[in-house]
Amino acid sequence: MQPIDLFIESRWALPMDDAPVLEHAAIAIDAGRIVELGAASALAARYAPRERLMRPHHALLPGLVNAHTHAAMSLMRHLPVRGPLMQWLNETIWPLERRCVNAQFVRSGTQLAMAEMLAAGITCFADMYFFPEEVARLARARHLRVVVGAPIVDARTPWAADADEHLDKAARLWDEYRGDPLILPCFAPHSPYAVGRETFVRLRRLVDQLDAPLAMHLHETQTEVQDSLAAHGARPLAWLADEGLLRPGFSAVHMNWLTDDDIDLAMRTGISVVHCPQSNQRLGSGICPVGDLRAAGVNVALGTDGAASVGALDLLAEARSACLLASLATHNPQALGAIDALRMATLGGAQALGLAHEIGSLMPGKAADLVCIDLSAPACLPVDEPSDTVVFAAGRDAVTDVWVGGRAMVRDRRLLAFDPAEIAAIALEAPARAAVGAAA
Ligand SMILES: [Zn+2]
């Protein structure tokens, strides 16, 4: 018998790679990594675990990967959303950020978001916000996996005075955290409309030299595409391709307004697309053609975007919304199946973030980032295809257990990684921090 740290038996296991759904499954974990996944009866005879967990009504999945968020904006969750996007950014969000965002704001908002995401089964998130060094420090202290996007914009922000300082600070973040087992720094130019050509040229030189990942809001609204055509004579994606920025490791967030040529370009350059269906719907931004992208061979991940636009950092809700929206947009109920949406929420996210060797599926050797979802509530029964139940019936409240690198973060619905009193105190101070009266 091989001694191991942890043995979990579950009613179902959804590996999320090409392996089929397993029934009466078990997973063996040791030193933070997956040792083996298989039939419980076979595995039980081989391992002597220090801890054994029975989850007889549960689906076991790899931890969910939220491939795009602005975690600290959880402190702006309660603000009214007055779209469309540019009006909302210009009149609500950017003035509020200039006035209120500092390192303490980011620490508070990010902790609130981390607690919310962990309880919802999200074990890794890709962030894009000011003071990314605070997010990295928190992630290290709380043992969360984070892709920390250092924002790059030309204008003065609460974090940096101009493009020079944004680039310098982003490079410093890269130097400090590259090679970290849980934290991957990333360069996150906000959008083609917030960054000029000169900055993109310098950014390209930097990421070429460092071989660093990139994330950017792209083709979010029709206005953005029209403005790019007027300014550059090219659509944003084509313009960035001319600037040499598109490559594997580039996450294009939103991608709602795409032609066949855009999709072809996305495929040829090996970029990933991060679909944020609920943010796009709430702001009325557009619909990402997920089916066409996937049919063309483009990797698609799922993101929540920030709580200011979407309300909840709930990736299972995004998966459900992605399926519904794909059906509605194409008049085809089979446009995006539940298992495909879950794959986008796990392995698709891992691929987009350059972490597929480490997370995103239940493959032996990968980190034990795991989630158990209880499918025994009346609202979930009867279960036929567990992926359908997880996406269309269960929701984040059914998440019972979460591990990051084999460490328990949520156990029996109890959040272990944070003190509930600490999170409640942060939530209480949120309106003051976001200066709601002044912004609304
Ligand atoms: Zn965003």
Side-chain angles (χ1 to χ4, degrees):
M1 298 275 272
Q2 184 180 334
I4 54 167
D5 290 333
L6 175 62
F7 189 86
I8 308 165
E9 289 189 38
S10 64
R11 177 69 176 80
W12 299 275
L14 283 62
M16 290 300 147
D17 45 25
D18 292 332
V21 172
L22 293 172
E23 292 203 46
H24 305 289
I27 194 163
I29 309 294
D30 195 53
R33 299 209 163 257
I34 298 169
V35 178
E36 190 173 2
L37 172 75
S41 53
L43 263 63
R46 286 207 283 280
Y47 296 102
R50 277 172 279 280
E51 184 186 7
R52 182 186 297 269
L53 271 185
M54 307 297 281
R55 292 291 180 259
H57 310 292
H58 300 58
L60 173 74
L61 283 83
L64 305 177
V65 179
N66 182 359
H68 176 68
T69 192
H70 314 278
M73 292 180 95
S74 58
L75 294 189
M76 303 177 193
R77 191 199 311 272
H78 56 305
L79 297 178
V81 175
R82 296 192 175 126
L85 176 75
M86 289 318 297
Q87 183 188 344
W88 180 64
L89 291 177
N90 282 316
E91 294 178 7
T92 303
I93 296 300
W94 287 343
L96 175 72
E97 287 179 335
R98 280 194 287 272
R99 217 171 34 243
C100 303
V101 171
N102 54 30
Q104 180 56 48
F105 182 102
V106 170
R107 276 196 295 277
S108 295
T110 302
Q111 287 182 87
L112 190 60
M114 284 174 164
E116 178 186 5
M117 287 193 275
L118 275 175
I122 295 167
T123 53
C124 174
F125 67 96
D127 201 45
M128 180 196 284
Y129 210 60
F130 311 113
F131 301 94
E133 64 276 10
E134 299 293 339
V135 179
R137 255 179 239 136
L138 282 169
R140 186 175 270 173
R142 306 287 185 167
H143 196 72
L144 261 91
R145 203 177 299 280
V146 181
V147 175
V148 185
I152 313 284
V153 299
D154 285 343
R156 171 181 285 277
T157 70
W159 188 51
D162 52 19
D164 279 353
E165 196 180 0
H166 283 96
L167 287 167
D168 286 351
K169 285 185 158 181
R172 248 179 281 152
L173 188 77
W174 174 266
D175 287 342
E176 191 175 348
Y177 285 96
R178 66 179 169 170
D180 189 284
L182 286 173
I183 297 153
L184 174 63
C186 163
F187 290 76
H190 179 274
S191 56
Y193 52 85
V195 180
R197 183 167 185 276
E198 196 189 321
T199 306
F200 275 129
V201 169
R202 295 170 58 200
L203 178 63
R204 181 199 170 173
R205 223 175 288 138
L206 198 57
V207 293
D208 280 353
Q209 184 193 333
L210 303 174
D211 193 22
L214 284 157
M216 193 184 324
H217 298 116
L218 207 53
H219 287 232
E220 185 170 1
T221 64
Q222 202 171 18
T223 309
E224 175 196 328
V225 176
Q226 286 164 349
D227 289 352
S228 175
L229 282 165
H232 309 296
R235 299 167 66 77
L237 197 68
W239 184 60
L240 291 172
D242 287 346
E243 297 299 330
L245 278 156
L246 303 188
R247 77 273 308 270
F250 182 108
S251 292
V253 181
H254 294 296
M255 296 286 270
N256 295 324
W257 297 90
L258 301 180
T259 61
D260 288 347
D261 285 347
D262 292 328
I263 292 172
D264 186 55
L265 186 54
M267 186 270 293
R268 284 189 285 111
T269 51
I271 66 170
S272 285
V273 168
V274 182
H275 181 27
C276 303
Q278 298 198 121
S279 171
N280 293 334
Q281 287 173 85
R282 193 155 185 226
L283 287 164
S285 298
I287 301 175
C288 174
V290 173
D292 294 343
L293 284 162
R294 296 179 85 240
V298 179
N299 176 52
V300 184
L302 274 181
T304 58
D305 216 345
S309 66
V310 77
L313 307 179
D314 180 352
L315 209 65
L316 289 177
E318 299 292 344
R320 185 190 303 189
S321 184
C323 293
L324 300 176
L325 196 56
S327 297
L328 187 65
T330 61
H331 307 290
N332 173 12
Q334 275 80 47
L336 187 71
I339 191 77
D340 297 322
L342 286 178
R343 201 164 278 131
M344 286 160 55
T346 52
L347 193 55
Q351 276 170 5
L353 305 180
L355 294 173
H357 61 287
E358 188 71 358
I359 57 169
S361 70
L362 300 181
M363 187 186 281
K366 286 194 181 185
D369 289 16
L370 308 169
V371 54
C372 281
I373 302 175
D374 184 358
L375 304 185
S376 68
C380 296
L381 298 175
V383 180
D384 179 24
E385 180 53 62
S387 58
D388 283 347
T389 308
V390 166
V391 170
F392 291 112
R396 67 176 170 177
D397 292 345
V399 170
T400 57
D401 305 87
V402 179
W403 294 263
V404 174
R407 185 183 296 186
M409 311 297 275
V410 178
R411 169 67 57 85
D412 283 327
R413 290 192 168 88
R414 199 161 52 83
L415 188 60
L416 305 178
F418 289 88
D419 174 4
E422 192 185 350
I423 294 302
I426 289 172
L428 272 178
E429 73 183 16
R433 287 228 180 277
V436 60

